[in-house]
Amino acid sequence: MIPSAFDYAAPTTVQEALGLLDAASSAGDEVKLLAGGQSLIPVMKLRMADPSLVIDLGRIPGLSGITDDGAHLTIGAMTPHHVMATDPLLAAHLPLLQMAAATVADPQVRHRGTFGGALVHADPAGDMPAPVLAAGATFTLSSANGTRTVDAADFFRGYFTTAVGEGEILTSILVPKYTGWGAHYEKFTRVSQQWSIVAVAAMVRVEGGVIAEARLGLTNMASTPLRASSAEQALAGCALDADAIAVACSHAADATEPVNDLNGDADYRRHLVTVIAKRAVLAAVGLPHTGMRLAEA
């Protein structure tokens, strides 16, 4: 199918884009912002979205790129996944985001799709929301009235729903550095390049031969990404031992609300996430998980 007819605008500044957005919204027109288009274009072709105006953000300089701001990295919302997956700053200070970006779909999507676009799309099976939640990122939203920031814990509101309000544009994401932490993104799919059935984003700080602190984000275990808080608490002080880590990760499904669908029912996902969490944490601390089966306890 092809989309319905729509007007197209390609502003060259954020303020110009905000002006177009404000004018169209005031007139009651449905507006969509185009980042990489890897999610928007398919839903427009299916007529699941039928905007009268599409505002392309791709010609605005300064919305893409990664900068070192001391204790944080600032990532432009229009930064492509491919750049995320190959950037040396992320490799040094936020390898979890780099690992997750490298798993997104296929090379074509990674070259066109954007970090901010994926976050605003807020698909619960998407690979980028859980890592930014685990990392405690902060989102910068711009509007005609200025800017405001939203913590990752408050950004994702439900299925395909975020805190981005009418007349706002996500312009950047501020993420604390986790230099020296171990990290791993473990994703389970049935076929290559599929959306995650379940995934776990793990960051682990080891000190004195034990896990001093762990941060775990869960993909596709509810309508929004979740922190595995019970497992994080159980991992604190845990020995670098596969069995001890498995016991701690058995809490990964606590307080989750997975769906039933063609890829598996809720109980299957609750079991699966404990296995995937164990794999992610073992990889993050540098321990092997060869031979582990999905059927293991």
Side-chain angles (χ1 to χ4, degrees), residues 56-245:
D56 187 349
L57 304 179
R59 299 184 186 180
I60 301 176
L63 288 185
S64 179
I66 301 169
T67 58
D68 189 336
D69 297 320
H72 299 78
L73 296 182
T74 298
I75 307 172
M78 290 291 289
T79 304
H81 299 302
H82 168 72
V83 171
M84 301 276 293
T86 56
D87 184 79
L89 282 175
L90 288 185
H93 304 296
L94 279 167
L96 176 62
L97 295 189
Q98 186 173 56
M99 294 172 182
T103 73
V104 173
D106 54 41
Q108 179 178 349
V109 170
R110 289 194 292 273
H111 277 77
R112 292 292 304 170
T114 66
F115 182 45
L119 296 174
V120 173
H121 186 56
D123 189 326
D127 292 303
M128 301 314 297
V132 298
L133 178 64
T138 301
F139 297 76
T140 300
L141 305 177
S142 297
S143 71
N145 297 320
T147 63
R148 68 184 181 103
T149 58
V150 179
D151 292 338
D154 301 317
F155 184 78
F156 303 100
R157 299 288 179 85
Y159 284 106
F160 305 101
T161 306
T162 70
V164 179
E166 185 175 341
E168 290 185 321
I169 297 174
L170 173 64
T171 51
S172 64
I173 301 92
L174 185 71
V175 193
K177 290 181 180 177
Y178 291 89
T179 313
W181 286 51
H184 188 72
Y185 187 68
E186 185 75 12
K187 174 179 178 177
F188 181 76
T189 62
R190 295 193 185 278
V191 297
S192 178
Q193 301 170 1
Q194 186 187 33
W195 296 102
S196 293
I197 296 174
V198 169
V200 176
M203 292 193 298
V204 180
R205 181 172 62 87
V206 175
E207 186 176 310
V210 300
I211 296 174
E213 186 177 356
R215 302 176 71 91
L216 304 181
L218 307 182
T219 297
N220 214 11
M221 288 299 293
S223 61
T224 65
L226 300 175
R227 288 278 295 276
S229 301
S230 295
E232 291 175 349
Q233 294 169 12
L235 284 165
C238 184
L240 301 183
D241 172 80
D243 290 337
I245 288 172

Side-chain angles (χ1 to χ4, degrees), residues 6 13 16 30-31 47 55 59 62 142 171 190 197 275 294:
F6 59 88
T13 67
E16 183 184 356
E30 182 179 355
V31 185
R47 306 291 177 93
I55 302 175
R59 299 184 186 180
S142 297
T171 51
R190 295 193 185 278
I197 296 174
V275 179
L294 290 179

